[in-house]
Amino acid sequence: MRDRVLSLRNLTLAASIAMATLAAPAHAFSDDEARRAILDLRQQLQQQNEQNSRARLQLADQLQSLQQEIAQLRDQLELVSRQQPNAQGQGQQHPGNPQGVEVGDAQEQAAFDGATDLYRKGQYKDAAESLAAFIALYPNSQLAPTAQFYLGSARYASRDYKGAIEQLNNLLQKSPDNARAPDALLVIAGSQIELNNRAGAKTTLQRIVRDYPNSPAANTAKSRLQLL
């Protein structure tokens, strides 16, 4: 009886050893797989970090280029505001009215000139108030579209980008064929960039190229589209 018990114990022990022996390779295999997975994950993370670093550098370059474009846009707006009249073959002109629109009402003309003069002096807040008052007082004036452009530009120069977009969209809705319409869209695109609305800016620049292909603004829009 005792021998049978010992034999049974020996068989149980042998079975346990056999099971442990069979299980050992499985555990070793799992550890190897885990190590390989960790190494693969580390490699993927390293590659991702390198890609992120390159993307950040590219984005920094693009932002710098966009900032330069915005600075150039401000310079262009300043040049527009300082355009002098070309009297040859045109009627009465004024410093703020380079298109030579004739205005018979001296009071109306004086109000317009006073508002645009404030803009040229860099007093953008006061200019915006005067231009808004002019548009409210003379909504049907031939000078109203130009005043609307200056109003939007004054908002932009004051860093009121939402206000600039609103005012310049008013110009585009009322006078889509106005000579300043392409430039108004450029200012809108610049405002959208300042507001981090890159998709909106891209759409606006594409609109310039599509609707005003022969304008100087279209060439500027094409160069800016390459940065977006």
Side-chain angles (χ1 to χ4, degrees):
M1 182 68 177
R2 182 179 179 183
D3 292 338
R4 289 181 180 179
V5 172
L6 290 175
S7 297
L8 182 59
R9 288 179 178 176
N10 290 336
L11 288 173
T12 302
L13 179 60
S16 299
I17 293 172
M19 291 178 63
T21 302
L22 291 173
H27 287 300
F29 180 78
S30 297
D31 290 342
D32 290 341
E33 286 291 326
R35 281 193 291 269
R36 282 196 294 269
I38 292 172
L39 291 175
D40 290 342
L41 180 59
R42 287 177 179 173
Q43 186 176 6
Q44 292 175 7
L45 289 174
Q46 183 177 0
Q47 292 175 350
Q48 187 66 40
N49 288 334
E50 291 176 355
Q51 292 175 357
N52 290 339
S53 297
R54 288 194 295 269
R56 283 194 294 269
L57 290 174
Q58 292 175 355
L59 180 59
D61 291 340
Q62 290 177 351
L63 288 175
Q64 184 177 4
S65 297
L66 287 173
Q67 289 171 352
Q68 292 173 352
E69 290 287 335
I70 291 170
Q72 292 174 1
L73 178 59
R74 291 195 179 103
D75 293 340
Q76 290 173 6
L77 287 174
E78 186 65 21
L79 287 174
V80 168
S81 71
R82 293 178 179 177
Q83 285 180 348
Q84 296 299 319
N86 179 9
Q88 184 177 1
Q90 297 181 356
Q92 182 183 4
Q93 294 183 338
H94 300 268
N97 179 22
Q99 297 180 35
V101 177
E102 294 185 6
V103 178
D105 189 334
Q107 187 174 359
E108 176 183 342
Q109 185 66 60
F112 176 83
D113 290 343
T116 54
D117 187 55
L118 289 171
Y119 180 90
R120 288 193 301 275
K121 291 179 179 178
Q123 301 176 24
Y124 301 119
K125 182 178 179 180
D126 293 338
E129 293 177 356
S130 296
L131 289 162
F134 176 87
I135 295 170
L137 189 60
Y138 304 102
N140 299 319
S141 170
Q142 290 179 296
L143 294 172
T146 303
Q148 194 81 56
F149 175 81
Y150 276 106
L151 176 55
S153 300
R155 297 290 190 199
Y156 178 87
S158 301
R159 302 185 185 277
D160 178 11
Y161 303 118
K162 292 182 179 180
I165 293 172
E166 178 183 0
Q167 296 302 327
L168 293 170
N169 274 330
N170 287 339
L171 167 62
L172 295 169
Q173 290 172 4
K174 296 176 182 178
S175 306
D177 297 327
N178 187 272
R180 295 189 183 275
D183 293 325
L185 285 169
L186 274 181
V187 180
I188 289 175
S191 298
Q192 290 169 324
I193 290 172
E194 293 282 9
L195 293 171
N196 295 321
N197 183 6
R198 293 164 63 89
K202 184 176 181 178
T203 299
T204 301
L205 293 171
Q206 290 172 337
R207 178 181 173 185
I208 298 173
V209 176
R210 182 188 69 243
D211 295 348
Y212 307 96
N214 298 321
S215 67
N219 294 328
T220 304
K222 290 177 183 178
S223 65
R224 290 177 185 171
L225 280 169
Q226 296 177 357
L227 300 174
L228 294 176

